Amino acid sequence: MTDERTSTHQTAKLYRMVMPDHLCPFGLKAKDLLEREGFAVEDHHLETREETDRFQERENVDTTPQVYIGGKRIGGYDDLRVHLGHDSAKDDGKSYRPVIALFAMAFAMSMALCWLSFGTLLTVMVIPKFIAIAMCLLALQKLQDVESFSTMFLNYDLLARRWVPYGKIYPYAEGLAGVLMLAGVATWLSAPVALFIGTIGALSVFKAVYIDKRELKCACVGGDSNVPLGFISLTENLMMVAMAIWMAATAL
């Protein structure tokens, strides 16, 4: 297939909704992508619901925006990204990006906290603070929609399958343990809680992924995530276990 990105002279026709009460965001994204790829864009505005309906009926399409290149209909924004080679046509949307971004932010916050507290980044406390902050952020993601999280959690968690309410308790337990560990208080409570939920979680993920060979979405960053259940999910739970053991050991 010819790489459309090599052309800086080709014209693309774009039909998108531009109404007083609605400006299609995907239409704007399609226009921006085409212009960044060097296309001259014929930008056709669909300014009323009736005009949009007539366009969809005439072109036999159900949605807008619609992009045409070289007289050929490409489709909407997602189709355009595939056509220009930005995405794979077989892309299922699964990505580790949400959890990687969360861990990266947790690590940055940990370094900032250590700099504020100790005046240096060269301290062993960066790691435990990172784990505690990550637990808090992960709990926050789950607490945005506990019902959705608990439903996804039931797909693989061993304890939640036996006792369904555990799926709704888990985010609060994780958040509580994370806050207490971040503050360095009540280790007698935070360490056992983190050890318990981390161990159950690690065993559940290991069984689902490495023994049963199931392809599932991880509930770690909330019930609407598309993060594959796998190594990163297992690492999350093992970090909690390690943090619990470290906290208990230093408290003795």
Side-chain angles (χ1 to χ4, degrees):
M1 181 180 69
T2 301
D3 189 349
E4 301 289 356
R5 292 172 292 177
T6 62
S7 173
T8 58
H9 304 289
Q10 196 166 1
T11 298
K13 293 184 178 180
L14 171 65
Y15 293 82
R16 62 189 179 101
M17 294 174 66
V18 180
M19 302 179 183
D21 60 346
H22 177 68
L23 179 62
C24 177
F26 291 103
L28 281 174
K29 293 174 73 172
K31 182 174 182 290
D32 174 71
L33 179 57
L34 286 165
E35 290 175 342
R36 284 190 286 112
E37 293 293 348
F39 288 89
V41 180
E42 289 187 9
D43 190 14
H44 299 271
H45 293 183
L46 303 171
E47 299 180 341
T48 65
R49 182 71 258 178
E50 293 74 17
E51 186 178 0
T52 302
D53 290 341
R54 287 196 300 270
F55 169 78
Q56 291 178 342
E57 182 178 358
R58 183 181 75 242
E59 299 298 319
N60 193 28
V61 295
D62 297 323
T63 61
T64 58
Q66 291 293 323
V67 177
Y68 298 77
I69 298 175
K72 174 185 175 183
R73 186 175 72 84
I74 305 302
Y77 175 69
D78 291 337
D79 299 313
L80 177 63
R81 287 187 60 86
V82 171
H83 180 75
L84 295 178
H86 289 273
D87 293 326
S88 169
K90 297 181 179 179
D91 185 12
D92 57 7
K94 292 182 180 179
S95 172
Y96 284 108
R97 182 173 181 174
V99 71
I100 292 174
L102 186 147
F103 284 157
M105 180 58 70
F107 192 73
M109 293 173 68
S110 173
M111 291 193 294
L113 182 60
C114 287
W115 181 267
L116 178 65
S117 301
F118 309 111
T120 179
L121 301 178
L122 301 176
T123 170
V124 69
M125 291 304 296
V126 168
I127 301 303
K129 295 302 182 185
F130 156 66
I131 296 174
I133 292 171
M135 290 172 62
C136 294
L137 295 179
L138 287 165
L140 179 62
Q141 291 292 100
K142 300 175 179 73
L143 288 169
Q144 293 183 75
D145 191 342
V146 176
E147 190 67 36
S148 294
F149 161 77
S150 62
T151 300
M152 187 181 292
F153 201 49
L154 287 170
N155 283 321
Y156 59 89
D157 189 81
L158 297 174
L159 180 55
R161 287 185 162 196
R162 290 180 174 272
W163 187 50
V164 174
Y166 176 65
K168 294 185 177 180
I169 294 173
Y170 182 98
Y172 296 96
E174 183 179 38
L176 174 65
V179 169
L180 293 178
M181 287 178 166
L182 187 60
V185 300
T187 301
W188 60 269
L189 176 59
S190 62
V193 169
L195 181 62
F196 180 81
I197 65 176
T199 301
I200 296 298
L203 291 174
S204 300
V205 173
F206 187 84
K207 181 179 185 301
V209 175
Y210 299 104
I211 296 178
D212 298 340
K213 307 293 184 182
R214 301 174 65 199
E215 294 186 3
L216 299 169
K217 295 179 182 178
C218 179
C220 55
V221 289
D224 61 347
S225 74
N226 209 12
V227 176
L229 187 68
F231 175 75
I232 291 183
S233 311
L234 180 61
T235 301
E236 172 201 349
N237 289 286
L238 292 177
M239 284 195 311
M240 280 195 283
V241 172
M243 182 68 167
I245 295 174
W246 184 85
M247 292 286 289
T250 55
L252 294 178

